[in-house]
Amino acid sequence: MISGVPKDWSLHPQLERDTAPVGDLPLTRVLLMNDSNYPWLVLVPRQPGLTELTDLEENAQGQLMAEIARTMGALKSAAACDKLNVAALGNAVPQLHVHIIARRKTDAAWPKPVWGVAPPIAYEAAARESLIETLRHGLQISKL
Amino acid sequence: MISGVPKDWSLHPQLERDTAPVGDLPLTRVLLMNDSNYPWLVLVPRQPGLTELTDLEENAQGQLMAEIARTMGALKSAAACDKLNVAALGNAVPQLHVHIIARRKTDAAWPKPVWGVAPPIAYEAAARESLIETLRHGLQISKL
C-alpha cells in the first residue's frame, strides 16, 4: 500500500512533538522539524511497524526514493542552501523516518552533521507557516 | 549508464584514503571504511560530477536504492547489529556517497550518529580481509 493512512499507523510521539505537519505524499507524511537553525524536513512512510528502509517492500523503497528526490527539490527551492543532507538513522526514534536537511556553510553546525550540535530554536509561528506554505506549493500537496 | 566504470570517473582521494575496496555493484563502488569501531560501508555511484542524490537520473536513483537495500542486507548478515544508519551527507567530501553503518548499542557513539565522535581505529589486516570476503560473498561481487 503506498497511499492513504492505514488505521493502524500513527506518528511516533517524539516526531509529533518535534515537528509540524506539511502534508502527505503518496507514501510518506512530510513534517517540518521545529528548529529554525536549519530548514529540515522529515519523511515518515505511513505504514505500521517499519524500522529499517529494508522493511519496506521493493516498490515502496523505490517510491520512497522518488519522494526523497521530490522533497529535496522543494526544500532547495524554498530555502537557499549549499548542500542537502539525507539520512535514515533511527537510533533514538525507532519508527522509520528520513531526514532531509538544507545546510548552509554559515549554519550552526557546518560542516558537521546537525544532530546534537546546536540546541533547537523554535520557529516563530508566522515564519513557520510561511515556510510550510511555500513547501506545500513546491511539493504540490495540501494541508492535512 | 548504470554499469561499468566511465573513463572520467575516479574515487575522491579522501574516500580512497579512508577505505578499502569491496567491489562493484551495477551502479556503485562498495567501500569498507577503515574504522573498526563500526562495520561501515560506503557506496559511491561510478558517474562523474555527482553531488546530490538528485544529480542521478531517476532510474539510477531507483537503482541506488536497490543497491542500498542489498548492501544493508549483506552488512547485517556479516555483522550483528541493532540498527543500520544510512546517510548521504557530503558536507566534507562533495562526491556523492552513501554511508551504511551497522550500529550496536555497545558501540563507541551509540545512540549518537558516528561522525566526529570516536577516533577511527584501523582494522588489523587479517580482520579487514576476512570481513571484506564475507561482504563479497553476501553481495555476490568479486574483487576489483
Side-chain angles (χ1 to χ4, degrees), chain A residues 51-54 58 61-62 64-66 68-70 72-73 76 82-94 96 103 110-113 115, chain B residues 51-54 58 61-62 64-66 68-70 72-73 76 82-94 96 103 110-113 115:
Chain A
T51 301
E52 300 285 3
L53 291 172
T54 44
E58 200 173 314
Q61 291 173 14
L64 177 60
M65 180 60 96
I68 289 170
R70 182 171 165 185
M72 291 171 72
K76 194 164 183 175
D82 298 301
K83 186 71 191 71
L84 292 162
N85 291 171
V86 178
L89 304 176
N91 304 341
V93 172
L96 177 62
R103 302 298 310 277
W110 185 269
K112 288 188 263 190
W115 297 277
Chain B
T51 301
E52 300 285 2
L53 292 172
T54 44
E58 200 174 312
Q61 291 173 14
L64 177 60
M65 181 59 97
I68 289 170
R70 181 170 165 185
M72 290 171 73
K76 195 164 182 174
D82 299 301
K83 186 71 190 71
L84 291 161
N85 291 172
V86 179
L89 304 177
N91 303 341
V93 172
L96 177 61
R103 302 298 309 276
W110 185 268
K112 288 187 264 191
W115 298 276

Side-chain angles (χ1 to χ4, degrees), chain A residues 37-143:
Chain A
N37 282 304
Y38 328 92
W40 178 346
L41 296 173
V42 178
L43 298 183
V44 185
R46 296 185 309 279
Q47 292 182 4
L50 304 175
T51 301
E52 300 285 3
L53 291 172
T54 44
D55 294 336
L56 287 166
E57 295 193 7
E58 200 173 314
N59 68 338
Q61 291 173 14
Q63 178 65 25
L64 177 60
M65 180 60 96
E67 296 186 10
I68 289 170
R70 182 171 165 185
T71 303
M72 291 171 72
L75 183 57
K76 194 164 183 175
S77 295
C81 64
D82 298 301
K83 186 71 191 71
L84 292 162
N85 291 171
V86 178
L89 304 176
N91 304 341
V93 172
Q95 184 176 54
L96 177 62
H97 60 288
V98 179
H99 302 275
I100 302 178
I101 310 164
R103 302 298 310 277
R104 294 164 179 151
K105 291 181 182 176
T106 54
D107 73 31
W110 185 269
K112 288 188 263 190
V114 299
W115 297 277
V117 176
I121 301 173
Y123 284 96
E124 291 182 39
R128 189 188 61 219
E129 288 315 302
S130 166
L131 176 54
I132 287 175
E133 267 313 309
T134 304
L135 289 163
R136 281 186 188 131
H137 184 77
L139 288 164
Q140 299 182 279
I141 57 181
S142 48
K143 194 170 171 175

Side-chain angles (χ1 to χ4, degrees), chain B:
Chain B
M1 142 167 274
I2 59 168
S3 70
V5 181
K7 284 200 182 109
D8 49 355
W9 180 82
S10 64
L11 187 62
H12 188 286
Q14 176 91 42
L15 293 172
E16 181 97 40
R17 265 195 302 277
D18 293 345
T19 67
V22 177
D24 280 354
L25 291 169
L27 175 65
T28 61
R29 176 148 302 168
V30 185
L31 306 165
L32 175 69
M33 191 70 84
N34 190 18
D35 181 357
S36 64
N37 282 305
Y38 328 92
W40 179 347
L41 296 173
V42 178
L43 299 184
V44 185
R46 295 186 308 280
Q47 291 182 5
L50 304 174
T51 301
E52 300 285 2
L53 292 172
T54 44
D55 294 336
L56 287 166
E57 295 193 8
E58 200 174 312
N59 68 337
Q61 291 173 14
Q63 178 64 26
L64 177 60
M65 181 59 97
E67 295 187 11
I68 289 170
R70 181 170 165 185
T71 303
M72 290 171 73
L75 183 57
K76 195 164 182 174
S77 296
C81 63
D82 299 301
K83 186 71 190 71
L84 291 161
N85 291 172
V86 179
L89 304 177
N91 303 341
V93 172
Q95 184 176 53
L96 177 61
H97 60 288
V98 179
H99 301 275
I100 301 177
I101 311 165
R103 302 298 309 276
R104 295 162 179 151
K105 290 181 181 175
T106 54
D107 73 32
W110 185 268
K112 288 187 264 191
V114 301
W115 298 276
V117 176
I121 301 173
Y123 283 96
E124 291 182 38
R128 188 187 62 218
E129 288 315 302
S130 165
L131 177 54
I132 287 175
E133 266 314 307
T134 305
L135 289 163
R136 281 186 187 131
H137 184 78
L139 287 164
Q140 300 183 278
I141 58 180
S142 48
K143 194 170 171 175
L144 291 177

